[in-house]
Amino acid sequence: MSKKKFKFDFWSGVTLAIMAVFIIFLIYPLLSLVVQAFKDPGSESFTLANFSKFFSKKYYYTTMINSFKVTICVTVLAILIGAPLAYIMKTMKIRGKAVLEILIMISMLSPPFIGAYSWVLLSGRNGVLTRFLTNVLGIQNPPSIYGFGGILLVFTLKLFPFIYLYVGGALKKVDVALGEAAESLGCSGIKKVFTLILPLVLPSLLAGGLLVFMNSLADFGTPMLIGEGFRTMPVIIYDEYISEMGGQANFASALSTMMIIFTAGLFLIQKYIVNKKSFTMSSMRPIEAKKVKGMKNILAHLFVYFVVFLAIIPQITVMFTSFLKTKGTQFVGGSAFSSATYSFDSYKKIFEKMKTPIINTFTFGLIAIIIIIIIGMLGAYVTVRKKNIFTNILDTVTMFPYIIPGSVLGITLLVTFSKGSLPLGGTAIIIIVAFVIRRLPYTLRSSAAILYQLSPSVEEASISLGASPVKTFFKVTTRMMLPGVFAGAIMSWITVITELSSSIMLYVTKTQTLSVAIFTEVLRASYGTAAALSTILTLTTVISLLIFFKFSGSKEVSM
Amino acid sequence: MSVQIHVENVIKKYGDNVIIPNLSVDIENGELFTLLGPSGCGKTTLLRMIAGFNSIEGGQIKFNNDVINDLPAHKRNIGMVFQSYAIFPHLTVRQNVEYGMKMRKVKKTIMKKKVDDILHVVRIDTYQNRLPERLSGGQQQRVALARAIVIEPTVLLMDEPLSNLDAKLRIEMRSAIKDIQKKVGITTVYVTHDQEEALAISDRIAVMKDGVIQQVGKPFEIYLRPKNIFVASFIGHSNVFKATIEVLDKKVYVKFENGFKVEMTNLVDTVVNGQEVKVSVRPEEFTIGENGFKGTITSSTFLGKYVNYTVNFNQNIIEELEGNIEFTQDLNTFSKIFEVGGSIGLELNLNKINVYTADGQTSLIKGVN
Ligand SMILES: Nc1ncnc2c1ncn2[C@@H]1O[C@H](COP(=O)(O)OP(=O)(O)O)[C@@H](O)[C@H]1O
Ligand SMILES: [Mg+2]
């Protein structure tokens, strides 16, 4: 309708409504955050003091160095583990592959801080492994889980599945013929991997690497629990924010602004590289897993089993611990595992005293997921089928949350909505808003992807048969979009119920969620209840994941 | 109730890109009208303007006397059959066919009867409770047709409905479509780039090129008397010769570059002595004889009823670069098959051949333009 004037219809209404949600709950808060960052806490005048304060004190700027140190090391390690793992799993026959893949997914999707917490149970000061090493083997000062090394371990084990997933996905698109062609040209073995396979999967490797980078940079729970002296930026943002409580959080805002600038910059660089290097692959004959014999086979199995075992340890530990008998906050028998007695004490306790977080998690989560599905479907439709300048902007804006660390989002929402005309601080609404904003992209992406595959002619057929375009959307389009929407919604759901970094900023006692409750219980060293809560959360995640596998008929998720 | 469709001075642009500069055509009540042309010439664009899926940048489209330019697609009461079938994947065959009637809130009892009837007419009643994914291409196309027709649309629009089918099914479905269309008596606009299909199925054909209609006519008119060289070459094959008009004693001759000369009695009166022309001859419009063109057979293809030859001339008498022409020999009338490498003499069937101006734009045959 190039000549016609802009017509206000249902879809422009939808575009505007979604845009309004994002302007109110994301753009405006972010802008006010940036404004706060440049204001003097006392006089309200504009200043760079908040930034110079950061760079002039070692106490502050080391957190940035620490953050980068951890993030870069984690990314490298995750690639070194995830990429070979993907290559082995896709090219060799590994026993129990299906189960292993599910375990990898579970470790990826289970709540991030549970990893940290269970490693504390294992090799923290009073951990079973620590005791075993010191008491039984007589090793003094066994390696500590606290500090840099611990964070590295936990992050790497938690995040290598991203690399595995991305590289595995790319490997599936490599045609066997390419490998055969390389071999016919005299290139085989390791040389083939580095000259042919690696360049082919490089864009996916970069995309996965970015995800690892972003996640480890933004994660708050792990360094908070086990960082001790080793403080990273999200931790200091949280601390400063808490200590500035009541004020305008100018310093915390400045820190948050810096984080967003990093992540946005990284995101753009990655996009640029991927765009430049991108090529499409389609394979008629995907790589097949071959049976390998001898030493190679044994080593491959050892590697795969060892990595997956390490990755799944936290889940096992937590479930096991949840059944230990406790007294007060302590496990009976001194420490976990050794001469332990088993009971349902922890579960009894949480069902007596901690019902609220469980109920909250499910009610907030369900409300959020319903809103996510509605916005996701409508938003995907306008951005795919009604392309114009507004929907293009919408498409970009709804992807912002990918690059905004959860704790930063939490702070911005709180700073903006704690007072003023829309006082939402301490309400369930603000937590649900954070859930929706942060986890919408999964559903939106996945809905848009399926819409691109659906031929518009089916919708036109419906219109030609007399259904109005809006009616067609609800009667036909939504039905055909369902598989994509569902796949995305499960990912949104799992990440909503395990969300910590934004809700830790936004909760009050009555709006505690499971993740927040676990986190505070761990901080209080009430490990038994924390374990029981974690088990509930982990089981919910696993069941959701299994439902996803059942309905999507696939064994993979896309993040 | 079926209608006439009047397309009047219609313009279509995408941005600054003019796809259809100014197109007018009238489609009669109840006829099967085909838009035929090479890929990218704007057939789909025009069809979708009639359907209401494309905006109209100028001119108007009328159903009978009603201008429908601003009527939204879902209110135009059209039946549309898509190249991709566009069957609703989540509905059974029967539910697909019922869809349009439900939109129109047709009474259950009436709907049941109509749906039963149409399922029978298109011969898919046995699959009515299946989901479409379990149907073959031909069956899906029948569902699409039933779904479009059952709502008794004012016009039926079909965009390359057979192009996804294999050759045999294509021929079967094209007579099915024609039969059903005649039975229902609905004005139909049919889009295809396949000239053979167009000739077989249509009441009338509009041949399009670059958004402009080149010729409108019945299939035999278009095949036998193409209005210009484009139509002559697009519909079937044509060998184009360079020639000159010679007027001698009030008789008009066409003289070819090799000196061969024939008298034409059906040319327009405006031709003048010495005028350069193009002569278009279809492969089957040659006869074997010693007075015409002499050439060497370079290849032959045996097709059962016919043999197709390519014949090479040394002289620079034809348009095509290599100096080859195609000649089709009907084995009913002549049974000697020529060998590749042998020489052959060809004359012309003067009642059939077409003569054009030197630019190929205008036919010089009486009564064509
Ligand atoms: N949505 C569009 N935007 C821009 N150009 C288009 C669009 N749709 C079609 N065109 C152009 O219009 C011309 C005619 O296309 P179309 O009607 O599909 O051709 P046909 O159906 O005859 O093969 C083509 O050059 C095509 O590129
Ligand atoms: Mg077309």
Side-chain angles (χ1 to χ4, degrees):
Chain A
M1 310 258 148
S2 61
K3 280 281 175 294
K4 274 201 193 133
K5 273 163 230 87
F6 179 73
K7 241 182 30 199
F8 191 87
D9 60 5
F10 177 77
W11 296 113
S12 7
V14 165
T15 312
L16 278 182
I18 301 176
M19 195 85 97
V21 169
F22 274 81
I23 288 175
I24 296 171
F25 293 113
L26 185 67
I27 308 291
Y28 170 65
L30 279 178
L31 288 179
S32 25
L33 179 89
V34 175
V35 170
Q36 289 307 328
F38 288 97
K39 274 193 179 167
D40 183 78
S43 66
E44 289 275 296
S45 56
F46 282 94
T47 171
L48 286 176
N50 297 317
F51 294 93
S52 52
K53 177 177 169 189
F54 178 83
F55 286 105
S56 59
K57 285 206 182 139
K58 186 158 189 261
Y59 174 76
Y60 294 129
Y61 69 71
T62 42
T63 61
M64 187 189 271
I65 299 171
N66 286 347
S67 269
F68 280 117
K69 210 161 98 186
V70 165
T71 308
I72 291 167
C73 292
V74 166
T75 310
V76 170
L77 278 179
I79 288 174
L80 289 182
I81 295 175
L85 189 70
Y87 186 75
I88 292 174
M89 292 280 268
K90 292 284 179 264
T91 58
M92 299 183 195
K93 276 220 158 72
I94 301 290
R95 278 170 186 278
K97 183 180 281 180
V99 176
L100 292 171
E101 290 204 307
I102 291 182
L103 291 179
I104 294 173
M105 294 305 133
I106 289 174
S107 83
M108 177 175 85
L109 290 170
S110 64
F113 51 90
I114 286 184
Y117 151 54
S118 53
W119 281 103
V120 169
L121 289 177
L122 285 172
S123 49
R125 240 155 247 124
N126 217 0
V128 58
L129 211 62
T130 319
R131 285 172 151 248
F132 178 77
L133 291 175
T134 43
N135 297 352
V136 181
L137 299 183
I139 299 170
Q140 295 306 311
N141 297 324
S144 159
I145 194 67
Y146 301 103
F148 175 73
I151 298 178
L152 202 58
L153 174 81
V154 172
F155 274 170
T156 306
L157 289 179
K158 162 84 192 154
L159 296 174
F160 82 84
F162 284 116
I163 306 285
Y164 172 77
L165 211 66
Y166 273 64
V167 173
L171 280 174
K172 270 202 310 204
K173 292 198 200 126
V174 176
D175 200 299
V176 217
L178 288 176
E180 290 166 355
E183 276 172 36
S184 75
L185 295 169
C187 168
S188 66
I190 289 291
K191 203 168 151 206
K192 185 178 90 182
V193 172
F194 281 94
T195 57
L196 176 75
I197 308 284
L198 194 61
L200 286 176
V201 302
L202 195 61
S204 306
L205 193 65
L206 282 177
L210 180 82
L211 239 108
V212 172
F213 197 97
M214 295 277 197
N215 269 283
S216 49
L217 188 64
D219 189 87
F220 157 83
T222 305
M224 189 76 187
L225 286 178
I226 59 173
E228 307 235 310
F230 191 86
R231 297 153 68 80
T232 62
M233 279 195 82
V235 172
I236 196 140
I237 289 177
Y238 175 75
D239 283 353
E240 290 302 317
Y241 178 71
I242 297 294
S243 71
E244 280 181 289
M245 206 58 145
Q248 277 303 310
N250 302 83
F251 187 53
S253 300
L255 299 179
S256 305
T257 305
M258 283 192 281
M259 287 230 14
I260 295 177
I261 292 171
F262 296 147
T263 50
L266 245 152
F267 181 73
L268 291 178
I269 292 171
Q270 186 259 358
K271 240 187 142 160
Y272 175 78
I273 297 178
V274 169
N275 277 348
K276 256 188 104 170
K277 291 226 174 237
S278 91
F279 40 82
T280 46
M281 284 193 292
S282 65
S283 91
M284 319 253 290
R285 258 188 326 147
I287 292 182
E288 255 174 52
K290 283 204 192 100
K291 209 174 174 73
V292 184
K293 287 218 170 72
M295 207 52 198
K296 213 170 149 191
N297 187 30
I298 295 171
L299 287 177
H301 275 84
L302 277 180
F303 174 71
V304 172
Y305 283 4
F306 181 66
V307 168
V308 175
F309 173 68
L310 278 183
I312 209 72
I313 279 182
Q315 279 67 40
I316 299 171
T317 313
V318 159
M319 284 190 205
F320 183 75
T321 318
S322 71
F323 293 107
L324 292 178
K325 203 167 175 55
T326 57
K327 189 173 180 191
T329 60
Q330 298 302 307
F331 296 112
V332 174
S335 153
F337 305 99
S338 56
S339 65
T341 39
Y342 301 98
S343 78
F344 288 102
D345 285 2
S346 300
Y347 289 94
K348 275 189 205 129
K349 216 182 272 173
I350 60 169
F351 283 112
E352 276 160 22
K353 291 190 192 156
M354 309 192 72
K355 273 202 295 265
T356 325
I358 300 174
I359 295 167
N360 281 349
T361 299
F362 286 96
T363 43
F364 299 174
L366 276 175
I367 295 171
I369 206 70
I370 289 168
I371 300 173
I372 284 174
I373 288 176
I374 293 170
I375 298 186
M377 288 178 98
L378 292 170
Y381 190 82
V382 294
T383 50
V384 174
R385 289 277 200 265
K386 306 276 162 188
K387 280 195 194 298
N388 61 40
I389 174 127
F390 298 106
T391 58
N392 270 343
I393 295 173
L394 191 66
D395 193 28
T396 314
V397 168
T398 48
M399 289 303 144
F400 272 5
Y402 262 141
I403 56 167
I404 297 170
S407 47
V408 171
L409 183 75
I411 290 181
T412 58
L413 287 175
L414 207 51
V415 167
T416 316
F417 295 109
S418 57
K419 341 185 184 31
S421 49
L422 197 57
L424 296 175
T427 62
I429 295 176
I430 200 161
I431 292 192
I432 294 170
V433 164
F435 285 171
V436 170
I437 298 278
R438 226 162 118 62
R439 303 313 186 185
L440 176 64
Y442 298 129
T443 305
L444 198 59
R445 273 278 166 100
S446 163
S447 308
I450 196 159
L451 209 48
Y452 275 114
Q453 291 168 15
L454 295 174
S455 153
S457 61
V458 178
E459 288 155 53
E460 287 171 357
S462 163
I463 293 172
S464 77
L465 291 168
S468 69
V470 175
K471 200 165 191 175
T472 296
F473 174 78
F474 287 107
K475 278 197 80 99
V476 175
T477 319
T478 51
R479 288 298 305 270
M480 295 191 304
M481 282 170 76
L482 271 188
V485 175
F486 189 74
I490 292 267
M491 284 309 114
S492 294
W493 163 252
I494 291 175
T495 48
V496 156
I497 58 173
T498 58
E499 168 70 19
L500 175 71
S501 49
S502 65
S503 33
I504 194 81
M505 303 285 172
L506 297 167
Y507 86 97
V508 294
T509 315
K510 69 176 193 312
T511 60
Q512 259 197 0
T513 60
L514 266 174
S515 318
V516 172
I518 295 166
F519 189 73
T520 47
E521 289 301 286
V522 173
L523 284 185
R524 284 174 46 207
S526 177
Y527 292 144
T529 45
L533 292 171
S534 302
T535 304
I536 292 175
L537 194 52
T538 304
L539 283 181
T540 312
T541 308
V542 172
I543 290 167
S544 307
L545 195 63
L546 293 178
I547 293 175
F548 169 82
F549 287 146
K550 174 137 179 58
F551 278 89
S552 69
S554 106
K555 282 275 171 300
E556 262 150 46
V557 298
S558 61
M559 299 291 286
Chain B
M1 183 209 60
S2 183
V3 295
Q4 293 173 314
I5 304 170
H6 305 288
V7 179
E8 296 171 356
N9 304 104
V10 148
I11 300 172
K12 176 73 212 173
K13 295 179 195 167
Y14 284 114
D16 290 335
N17 197 1
V18 180
I19 307 296
I20 297 177
N22 181 352
L23 187 145
S24 300
V25 67
D26 292 314
I27 299 166
E28 297 302 325
N29 197 340
E31 77 174 332
L32 199 165
F33 189 89
T34 297
L35 300 173
L36 171 67
S39 182
C41 73
K43 307 177 298 284
T44 298
T45 304
L46 180 59
L47 192 80
R48 290 170 60 84
M49 287 163 92
I50 299 173
F53 295 126
N54 279 353
S55 60
I56 302 172
E57 269 74 45
Q60 54 189 20
I61 298 179
K62 293 194 219 161
F63 288 176
N64 287 339
N65 292 319
D66 307 323
V67 178
I68 52 146
N69 285 31
D70 291 322
L71 198 64
H74 66 279
K75 293 192 179 140
R76 289 190 186 189
N77 195 34
I78 45 167
M80 187 136 179
V81 177
F82 296 81
Q83 185 172 5
S84 58
Y85 318 132
I87 306 290
F88 305 129
H90 60 291
L91 301 180
T92 63
V93 168
R94 190 176 183 93
Q95 288 166 334
N96 262 280
V97 178
E98 285 172 345
Y99 187 90
M101 312 203 76
K102 284 192 178 146
M103 289 300 136
R104 286 164 175 71
K105 306 212 160 54
V106 176
K107 262 202 204 130
K108 274 242 166 66
T109 47
I110 300 175
M111 178 165 84
K112 181 174 184 313
K113 176 158 189 330
K114 284 193 173 168
V115 171
D116 284 341
D117 283 351
I118 199 75
L119 289 175
H120 183 72
V121 170
V122 300
R123 294 194 285 136
I124 45 172
D125 27 7
T126 42
Y127 321 112
Q128 55 177 294
N129 293 319
R130 283 200 199 167
L131 279 174
E133 59 186 7
R134 298 180 41 216
L135 298 184
S136 70
Q139 291 164 344
Q140 291 198 34
Q141 196 54 276
R142 286 171 189 271
V143 177
L145 191 61
R147 186 179 69 178
I149 289 176
V150 75
I151 58 171
E152 294 172 9
T154 42
V155 299
L156 181 62
L157 306 176
M158 303 200 209
D159 191 355
E160 314 238 2
L162 306 182
S163 59
N164 284 343
L165 302 178
D166 62 51
K168 195 158 167 254
L169 251 169
R170 212 154 42 216
I171 289 170
E172 185 189 318
M173 277 305 291
R174 108 185 154 196
S175 40
I177 288 177
K178 191 166 178 165
D179 285 353
I180 293 164
Q181 191 268 341
K182 281 284 157 292
K183 209 176 280 175
V184 185
I186 180 176
T187 314
T188 302
V189 186
Y190 187 100
V191 163
T192 181
H193 67 270
D194 179 341
Q195 43 101 12
E196 191 189 316
E197 185 177 307
L199 293 174
I201 204 170
S202 316
D203 293 322
R204 286 195 305 150
I205 298 173
V207 183
M208 286 177 73
K209 183 195 173 197
D210 299 338
V212 177
I213 292 186
Q214 306 292 316
Q215 182 170 6
V216 179
K218 299 205 161 81
F220 73 87
E221 290 169 351
I222 289 194
Y223 187 81
L224 294 178
R225 291 298 175 207
K227 277 191 175 177
N228 57 37
I229 295 265
F230 170 78
V231 177
S233 321
F234 187 74
I235 313 280
H237 182 84
S238 288
N239 305 294
V240 180
F241 293 85
K242 291 188 267 186
T244 337
I245 297 286
E246 211 175 84
V247 184
L248 273 180
D249 299 337
K250 302 224 163 134
K251 288 185 178 162
V252 180
Y253 298 90
V254 168
K255 190 177 167 194
F256 294 89
E257 303 277 305
N258 66 344
F260 175 51
K261 196 164 97 173
V262 291
E263 185 190 348
M264 294 294 290
T265 54
N266 57 355
L267 295 193
V268 292
D269 301 331
T270 50
V271 292
V272 293
N273 195 25
Q275 180 180 357
E276 284 186 12
V277 293
K278 297 265 158 67
V279 179
S280 136
V281 185
R282 295 196 182 278
E284 69 274 18
E285 291 170 357
F286 290 106
T287 54
I288 293 174
E290 293 306 311
N291 299 322
F293 309 103
K294 291 217 164 45
T296 318
I297 294 179
T298 51
S299 76
S300 83
T301 315
F302 181 72
L303 296 171
K305 266 200 263 183
Y306 306 98
V307 187
N308 253 349
Y309 299 99
T310 45
V311 182
N312 182 273
F313 300 105
N314 291 323
Q315 300 98 324
N316 181 25
I317 58 168
I318 59 169
E319 283 283 284
E320 260 117 299
L321 289 172
E322 289 159 27
N324 282 322
I325 63 156
E326 246 180 64
F327 156 55
T328 301
Q329 180 189 26
D330 186 343
L331 291 182
N332 259 341
T333 54
F334 200 87
S335 54
K336 178 191 170 208
I337 293 180
F338 294 90
E339 297 291 328
V340 172
S343 66
I344 189 172
L346 295 175
E347 291 176 10
L348 302 174
N349 181 342
L350 299 183
N351 291 326
K352 293 281 187 70
I353 63 170
N354 286 283
V355 183
Y356 299 94
T357 51
D359 61 4
Q361 296 293 340
T362 315
S363 174
L364 296 172
I365 304 289
K366 244 182 226 157
V368 171
N369 271 312

